[in-house]
Amino acid sequence: MSTQNALLILAAAVAVLVAAGFLVRALSGTDRGASPLERRFGLEYARTLAWHGGDTESAHRDLRERLDTYGGIRALPLEPAVHEHYTAQWTLLQERFVDAPRQSVADADELLVRVAATEGFPDTDRREMQLVALSVHHPDHVEGLRALRRAGASSTASTEELREALVEARALFEALMETRSPTGVGAGRPGSGRHRGHLLKPKGSGA
């Protein structure tokens, strides 16, 4: 086994253990003893701790730096017409997934980047910075964007893996779509109606 594979397995194991700890605390009500960073970042805290090999000090330093750099961002509300346009684009790329799964994943990445930039996160030419900023403001959903990029960058990703990545990324899209202007109250959410009902059903599935 290569050193890289061993590290990946170790990181995955740490992530599972930390996530299990979060679940136990949530069910037992002991989350009140969690650190402010744990409460602030939720699932992203577990991922960051795993990334740093369980080194709490390094993980906390990483998360505090993110907060200091991007915590002051105030997401700009989406006007109703813009909201509707982005929602229609997401629906379209989902509908095209069956015929062009890899292109749909790429399109979803591009769309998430544009939506985030519209809301005031770092611009489209600073994607890594934007992703880090999103991890501060959408810590429970940002992993969907990472999954999308991992799948899109993998030449061996199966159609099912691409589909799972797109489904995971949809949670971030829907979270971003919640940033609405006052005049947009009452407009349909991206997860409603036909947008969600037939998500990425393969041909011949009978569903």
Coordinates of all heavy atoms in Angstrom, one line a residue, residues 7-48:
L7 N -2.5 7.4 3.9 CA -3.0 8.7 4.5 C -4.4 8.9 4.2 O -5.2 9.4 5.1 CB -2.1 9.8 3.9 CG -0.6 9.9 4.4 CD1 0.1 10.9 3.7 CD2 -0.6 10.1 5.9
L8 N -4.9 8.6 3.0 CA -6.3 8.8 2.6 C -7.2 7.9 3.5 O -8.2 8.3 4.0 CB -6.5 8.4 1.2 CG -5.9 9.4 0.2 CD1 -6.1 8.9 -1.3 CD2 -6.6 10.8 0.3
I9 N -6.7 6.6 3.7 CA -7.5 5.7 4.6 C -7.6 6.3 6.0 O -8.6 6.3 6.7 CB -6.9 4.3 4.6 CG1 -7.1 3.7 3.2 CG2 -7.5 3.4 5.6 CD1 -6.4 2.4 3.0
L10 N -6.4 6.8 6.5 CA -6.4 7.3 7.9 C -7.3 8.5 8.0 O -8.0 8.7 9.0 CB -4.9 7.7 8.2 CG -4.7 8.4 9.6 CD1 -5.2 7.5 10.7 CD2 -3.3 8.9 9.7
A11 N -7.2 9.4 7.0 CA -8.1 10.6 7.0 C -9.6 10.2 7.0 O -10.4 10.8 7.7 CB -7.8 11.5 5.8
A12 N -9.9 9.2 6.2 CA -11.3 8.8 6.1 C -11.7 8.2 7.5 O -12.9 8.4 7.9 CB -11.5 7.7 5.0
A13 N -10.9 7.4 8.1 CA -11.2 6.8 9.4 C -11.4 7.9 10.5 O -12.3 7.8 11.3 CB -10.1 5.9 9.8
V14 N -10.5 8.9 10.5 CA -10.7 10.0 11.4 C -12.0 10.7 11.2 O -12.7 11.1 12.1 CB -9.5 11.0 11.3 CG1 -9.8 12.2 12.2 CG2 -8.2 10.3 11.8
A15 N -12.3 11.0 9.9 CA -13.6 11.7 9.6 C -14.8 10.9 10.1 O -15.7 11.5 10.7 CB -13.7 11.9 8.1
V16 N -14.8 9.6 9.9 CA -15.9 8.7 10.4 C -16.0 8.8 11.9 O -17.1 9.0 12.5 CB -15.7 7.3 10.0 CG1 -16.7 6.4 10.7 CG2 -15.8 7.2 8.5
L17 N -14.9 8.7 12.6 CA -14.9 8.8 14.1 C -15.4 10.1 14.6 O -16.2 10.2 15.5 CB -13.5 8.5 14.6 CG -13.0 7.1 14.5 CD1 -11.5 7.0 14.9 CD2 -13.8 6.1 15.3
V18 N -14.9 11.2 14.0 CA -15.3 12.5 14.4 C -16.8 12.7 14.1 O -17.5 13.3 15.0 CB -14.5 13.6 13.7 CG1 -15.0 15.0 14.1 CG2 -13.0 13.5 14.2
A19 N -17.2 12.3 12.9 CA -18.7 12.5 12.6 C -19.5 11.7 13.6 O -20.6 12.1 14.0 CB -18.9 12.0 11.2
A20 N -19.1 10.5 14.0 CA -19.8 9.7 14.9 C -19.9 10.4 16.3 O -20.9 10.4 17.0 CB -19.1 8.3 15.1
G21 N -18.8 11.1 16.6 CA -18.8 11.9 17.9 C -19.8 13.0 17.8 O -20.5 13.2 18.8
F22 N -19.9 13.6 16.7 CA -21.0 14.7 16.5 C -22.3 14.1 16.7 O -23.2 14.7 17.4 CB -20.9 15.3 15.1 CG -19.9 16.5 15.1 CD1 -18.7 16.3 14.4 CD2 -20.1 17.7 15.7 CE1 -17.8 17.4 14.3 CE2 -19.2 18.7 15.6 CZ -18.0 18.6 14.9
L23 N -22.6 12.9 16.1 CA -23.9 12.3 16.2 C -24.2 11.9 17.7 O -25.3 12.2 18.2 CB -24.0 11.1 15.3 CG -25.3 10.3 15.3 CD1 -26.4 11.2 14.9 CD2 -25.2 9.0 14.5
V24 N -23.3 11.4 18.4 CA -23.5 11.0 19.8 C -23.8 12.2 20.6 O -24.7 12.2 21.4 CB -22.2 10.2 20.3 CG1 -22.4 10.1 21.8 CG2 -22.1 8.9 19.7
R25 N -23.1 13.3 20.4 CA -23.3 14.5 21.2 C -24.7 15.1 20.9 O -25.4 15.6 21.8 CB -22.2 15.5 20.9 CG -20.9 15.2 21.6 CD -20.0 16.5 21.6 NE -19.6 16.9 20.3 CZ -18.6 16.4 19.6 NH1 -17.8 15.5 20.1 NH2 -18.3 16.9 18.4
A26 N -25.0 15.0 19.6 CA -26.3 15.6 19.2 C -27.5 14.8 19.9 O -28.5 15.4 20.3 CB -26.5 15.6 17.7
L27 N -27.4 13.4 19.9 CA -28.4 12.6 20.4 C -28.5 12.7 21.9 O -29.5 12.5 22.5 CB -28.2 11.2 20.0 CG -28.4 10.9 18.5 CD1 -28.0 9.5 18.1 CD2 -29.8 11.2 18.0
S28 N -27.3 12.9 22.6 CA -27.3 12.9 24.0 C -27.4 14.3 24.6 O -27.5 14.4 25.8 CB -25.9 12.3 24.5 OG -24.8 13.0 24.1
G29 N -27.4 15.3 23.8 CA -27.5 16.7 24.3 C -26.2 17.2 24.8 O -26.2 18.2 25.5
T30 N -25.1 16.5 24.6 CA -23.8 16.9 25.2 C -23.1 17.9 24.2 O -21.9 18.3 24.5 CB -22.9 15.7 25.4 OG1 -22.7 15.0 24.2 CG2 -23.5 14.8 26.5
D31 N -23.7 18.3 23.1 CA -23.0 19.2 22.2 C -22.8 20.5 22.8 O -22.0 21.3 22.3 CB -23.9 19.3 21.0 CG -23.1 20.0 19.8 OD1 -22.1 19.6 19.5 OD2 -23.6 21.1 19.4
R32 N -23.4 20.8 24.0 CA -23.2 22.0 24.7 C -21.8 22.2 25.1 O -21.3 23.3 25.4 CB -24.2 22.1 25.9 CG -25.6 22.4 25.5 CD -26.6 22.2 26.6 NE -26.6 20.8 27.1 CZ -27.4 20.4 28.1 NH1 -28.2 21.2 28.7 NH2 -27.3 19.1 28.5
G33 N -21.1 21.0 25.2 CA -19.7 21.1 25.6 C -18.7 21.3 24.5 O -17.5 21.3 24.7
A34 N -19.2 21.3 23.2 CA -18.4 21.5 22.1 C -17.8 22.9 22.0 O -18.3 23.8 22.6 CB -19.2 21.2 20.8
S35 N -16.7 23.0 21.3 CA -16.0 24.3 21.2 C -16.8 25.2 20.3 O -17.6 24.7 19.5 CB -14.6 24.1 20.7 OG -14.7 23.8 19.3
P36 N -16.6 26.5 20.4 CA -17.3 27.4 19.5 C -17.1 27.1 18.0 O -18.0 27.2 17.2 CB -16.8 28.8 19.9 CG -16.4 28.7 21.3 CD -15.8 27.2 21.4
L37 N -15.8 26.6 17.7 CA -15.5 26.3 16.3 C -16.3 25.1 15.9 O -16.8 25.0 14.7 CB -14.1 26.1 16.1 CG -13.2 27.3 16.1 CD1 -11.7 27.0 16.1 CD2 -13.5 28.2 14.9
E38 N -16.5 24.1 16.8 CA -17.3 22.9 16.4 C -18.7 23.3 16.1 O -19.3 22.8 15.2 CB -17.2 21.9 17.6 CG -15.9 21.1 17.7 CD -16.0 20.1 18.8 OE1 -16.4 19.0 18.6 OE2 -15.6 20.5 19.9
R39 N -19.3 24.1 17.0 CA -20.7 24.5 16.8 C -20.8 25.4 15.5 O -21.8 25.3 14.8 CB -21.1 25.3 18.0 CG -21.3 24.4 19.3 CD -22.0 25.2 20.4 NE -21.3 26.3 20.9 CZ -20.4 26.3 21.9 NH1 -20.2 25.1 22.5 NH2 -19.8 27.3 22.3
R40 N -19.8 26.2 15.3 CA -19.9 27.1 14.1 C -19.8 26.4 12.8 O -20.5 26.6 11.8 CB -18.8 28.2 14.2 CG -18.6 29.1 13.0 CD -19.8 30.0 12.9 NE -19.7 30.9 11.8 CZ -19.9 30.6 10.5 NH1 -20.2 29.4 10.2 NH2 -19.7 31.6 9.6
F41 N -18.9 25.4 12.7 CA -18.6 24.7 11.5 C -19.3 23.4 11.3 O -19.3 22.8 10.2 CB -17.1 24.6 11.3 CG -16.4 25.8 10.8 CD1 -15.8 26.7 11.8 CD2 -16.3 26.1 9.5 CE1 -15.2 27.9 11.3 CE2 -15.6 27.3 9.1 CZ -15.1 28.2 10.0
G42 N -19.8 22.8 12.3 CA -20.5 21.5 12.2 C -19.7 20.4 11.4 O -18.6 20.1 11.8
L43 N -20.3 20.0 10.3 CA -19.7 18.9 9.6 C -18.3 19.3 9.0 O -17.4 18.5 8.9 CB -20.6 18.5 8.4 CG -21.9 17.8 8.8 CD1 -22.8 17.5 7.6 CD2 -21.7 16.5 9.6
E44 N -18.2 20.6 8.7 CA -16.9 21.0 8.1 C -15.8 20.9 9.2 O -14.6 20.8 8.8 CB -17.0 22.5 7.6 CG -15.8 23.0 7.0 CD -15.4 22.4 5.7 OE1 -16.2 21.5 5.1 OE2 -14.3 22.6 5.1
Y45 N -16.2 21.1 10.4 CA -15.2 20.9 11.5 C -14.6 19.5 11.5 O -13.4 19.3 11.6 CB -15.8 21.2 12.9 CG -14.9 21.0 14.0 CD1 -14.2 22.1 14.5 CD2 -14.6 19.8 14.6 CE1 -13.3 22.0 15.6 CE2 -13.8 19.6 15.7 CZ -13.1 20.7 16.2 OH -12.2 20.6 17.2
A46 N -15.5 18.5 11.3 CA -15.0 17.1 11.3 C -14.1 16.9 10.1 O -13.1 16.2 10.2 CB -16.2 16.2 11.2
R47 N -14.5 17.4 8.9 CA -13.7 17.2 7.7 C -12.3 17.9 7.9 O -11.3 17.4 7.5 CB -14.4 17.8 6.5 CG -15.7 17.2 6.2 CD -16.3 17.7 4.9 NE -17.7 17.3 4.8 CZ -18.8 18.1 5.0 NH1 -18.6 19.3 5.3 NH2 -20.0 17.6 4.8
T48 N -12.3 19.1 8.5 CA -11.0 19.8 8.7 C -10.1 19.1 9.6 O -8.9 19.0 9.4 CB -11.3 21.2 9.1 OG1 -12.2 21.9 8.2 CG2 -10.0 22.0 9.2

